Amino acid sequence: MKINSLTIVGGGSAGWMTAALLSKYSDIKITLIESENIKTIGVGESTLQHFNRLVRRLDLTDREWMPKCKATYKTSIAFKNWRDGKGERFQYPFGIFDFDGLKNDPIQFFKLQSMYGKDLYPAEDFARFCNHNTFLAEESKLSRQMDKTFGNFNFDNDTAYHIDADLFGEYLRDNICIPNGVNHIIGDVNDVVIDAEGNISHLICNNKIIKSDLYIDCTGFKSLLLEKNLNVPFISFKDELFNDKAISVRTPYINKESQMHSYTDCVAMSAGWIWNIPLWHRLGRGYCYSSKYIDKIEAEIEFKKYLKEIYPSEMVENFKFNHINIKQGKHQVAWKNNCVAIGLSFGFLEPLESTGLLTSHESAIMLCDVILRRNNFVSRLDIDSFNYLTDNMIERFKDFVVSHYTLSQRFDTKYWNDCINVGMSNRYIKQILNFNPDNSLGIIYIAAGLGFNPINKAFLSEIPSHNFLTMLHHEWQTNKKMIIEYLKDLPSHYQYLKDNIYK
């Protein structure tokens, strides 16, 4: 199949990211149809470092696009109440391990923990020990100028973003897509015509025929093209991931200096978890929960109780709460015949690890690469490889998200008791047992933060000498004090943004 023209159905971040990439790097005639009657889901506001690939491919500079999208930086993901439900919080920092021979080998931390106890070496210390970027996140400090105290910190690689996803889509539309010739149609697709071979022949929109070589489905959970018209089956993840509802709300700052964290804060609740995402102009918050364990009214009451610890009660009661249905799972394939689904129309995972935007922009990048690989020519091999990569991506992320629940030590509610009894994939079991930072960085932070220790005091009896551990213990305690002292002179995340982005 030679692709000379394509039509994207659906705007939002998925549609405009796809259009931006393809319009920048190909000569394909691109049409994007966007309905005035369909609202975007509106909670995709947190990214991972992978987002930098998209930013760089589109030649965007932070000072240019961030203010237009009310963006802030993100250096970590924090998890509160996930281990014991008693106020504990640990970080999953970005960046690579700060190796110094054996000194920061993750196993050394567990040896120290077993030798000196959890008072000196709590689970929260694992991330601090292995990655000094953790201290930056915890204190919400930020700077491009770091001395060796922070080892491997690289600003461009170890920071991601919190963004207003709707504004980001509009930015791409107005600054890349439209200038590059994308034909933007406002309207609804009234009919999808399928030919005898099962391909999409054409669309009917605004009483006009729209015909292309390739059709890209960015219609969200509706999956208008892939599921509704090409009948690609949906595979639910409900037996492994229980959350099927969310309540979102946009709240104001009380104090930007103290509230504009450089991390996404995820707080475990009785039947799910709450997200806290600091944008420049507001905070995006939400409660992701399972309707099997708590109903809509109970969930909103619990969410409001949490918010009333931050805001006056009267203010909380006047907030506008948006109730969202979540459809966790994937379609059997993302690409069938001459139709490709990008974003929610292919699959979705709850926003715990910011995979919503991630799977969208990574799929868009993969599609762009497939099309450009042989000058717009696509064969069955290209389609099969794209389907393999997108399926493998969402399956890996699903296993990772599941691990956050099944590794917890909570059993105080029926929800958590059921969560910790969900099976984990063999891939992640192997990574947890090996604690190999070369290929399992994320799961190591989650497992350690949730209290998993691959060794114990009995294991230490096999070691003939504790001299190395004693030396390492004193060195680490000294270094920790030095790092904390060093942070005092760095600007806060808010101040850094004021000085460098929002001038």
Side-chain angles (χ1 to χ4, degrees), residues 329-394:
K330 65 177 183 178
H331 286 88
Q332 194 174 68
V333 293
W335 190 332
K336 182 178 180 180
N337 300 340
N338 65 339
C339 174
V340 185
I342 300 288
L344 306 186
S345 54
F346 164 61
F348 181 72
L349 296 167
E350 61 183 78
L352 184 61
E353 281 286 347
S354 308
T355 56
L357 278 172
L358 174 60
T359 53
S360 296
H361 65 67
E362 288 300 291
S363 294
I365 288 172
M366 285 189 280
L367 177 62
C368 184
D369 289 344
V370 164
I371 291 175
L372 296 177
R373 187 180 296 148
R374 292 190 284 179
N375 194 28
N376 303 357
F377 174 79
V378 174
S379 70
R380 177 61 183 269
L381 173 64
D382 299 303
I383 295 172
D384 288 346
S385 63
F386 181 86
N387 282 332
Y388 168 77
L389 290 172
T390 51
D391 185 79
N392 183 61
M393 175 174 61
I394 199 166

Side-chain angles (χ1 to χ4, degrees), residues 8-72:
I8 300 170
V9 180
S13 52
W16 290 115
M17 285 191 294
T18 305
L21 284 166
L22 289 171
S23 66
K24 182 175 177 62
Y25 289 102
S26 77
D27 57 358
I28 296 173
K29 180 183 177 182
I30 300 172
T31 298
L32 188 147
I33 302 172
E34 189 171 32
S35 173
E36 286 184 315
N37 302 315
I38 299 176
K39 294 182 179 180
T40 58
I41 190 171
V43 299
E45 298 179 335
S46 189
T47 70
L48 297 172
Q49 307 103 298
H50 308 72
F51 191 76
N52 294 322
R53 294 180 63 205
L54 176 73
V55 169
R56 289 167 188 164
R57 284 205 180 198
L58 295 177
D59 295 324
L60 302 179
T61 62
D62 287 359
R63 288 184 180 179
E64 175 189 11
W65 75 269
M66 285 182 68
K68 302 291 180 60
C69 304
K70 307 301 182 184
T72 62

Side-chain angles (χ1 to χ4, degrees), residues 83-193:
R83 185 175 68 246
D84 305 309
K86 298 178 181 178
E88 73 284 350
R89 179 187 277 116
F90 69 90
Q91 298 279 345
Y92 168 15
F94 298 159
I96 61 177
F97 276 106
D98 291 313
F99 279 122
D100 182 10
L102 288 175
K103 291 182 181 180
N104 295 92
D105 183 323
I107 294 299
Q108 303 303 334
F109 173 83
F110 295 113
K111 291 178 182 177
L112 290 168
Q113 187 183 65
S114 297
M115 186 171 175
Y116 289 96
K118 293 183 179 179
D119 287 338
L120 271 179
Y121 289 90
E124 293 84 347
D125 246 19
F126 175 83
R128 301 173 187 132
F129 181 84
C130 293
N131 187 335
H132 295 170
N133 299 351
T134 307
F135 291 95
L136 278 176
E138 289 180 325
E139 298 298 324
S140 287
K141 299 278 190 171
L142 201 60
S143 175
R144 279 189 176 273
Q145 306 301 320
M146 296 289 186
D147 66 13
K148 293 182 179 179
T149 305
F150 275 85
N152 295 319
F153 179 77
N154 182 304
F155 191 99
D156 294 321
N157 296 329
D158 300 346
T159 57
Y161 307 90
H162 296 119
I163 68 173
D164 185 314
D166 292 339
L167 291 180
F168 184 66
E170 292 171 8
Y171 179 84
L172 297 181
R173 177 193 68 196
D174 297 338
N175 292 275
I176 296 178
C177 300
I178 302 300
N180 284 344
V182 173
N183 178 28
H184 183 205
I185 297 176
I186 302 295
D188 294 303
V189 173
N190 306 118
D191 195 14
V192 180
V193 180

Side-chain angles (χ1 to χ4, degrees), residues 432-450:
I432 291 167
L433 293 177
N434 289 343
F435 263 78
N436 180 358
D438 292 334
N439 58 17
S440 56
L441 188 62
I443 189 60
I444 289 180
Y445 286 122
I446 302 305
L450 291 173

Side-chain angles (χ1 to χ4, degrees), residues 78 80 82 247 249 264-269 272-277 284-289 299 302-307 310 352:
K80 182 179 180 181
W82 284 78
I247 310 170
V249 63
T264 302
D265 200 16
C266 305
V267 183
M269 304 299 284
W273 59 279
I274 286 174
W275 70 78
N276 298 274
I277 299 175
R285 304 183 194 268
Y287 185 7
C288 184
Y289 67 95
E302 187 177 14
F303 190 21
K304 285 181 177 179
K305 182 180 178 181
Y306 169 84
L307 292 170
I310 305 168
L352 184 61

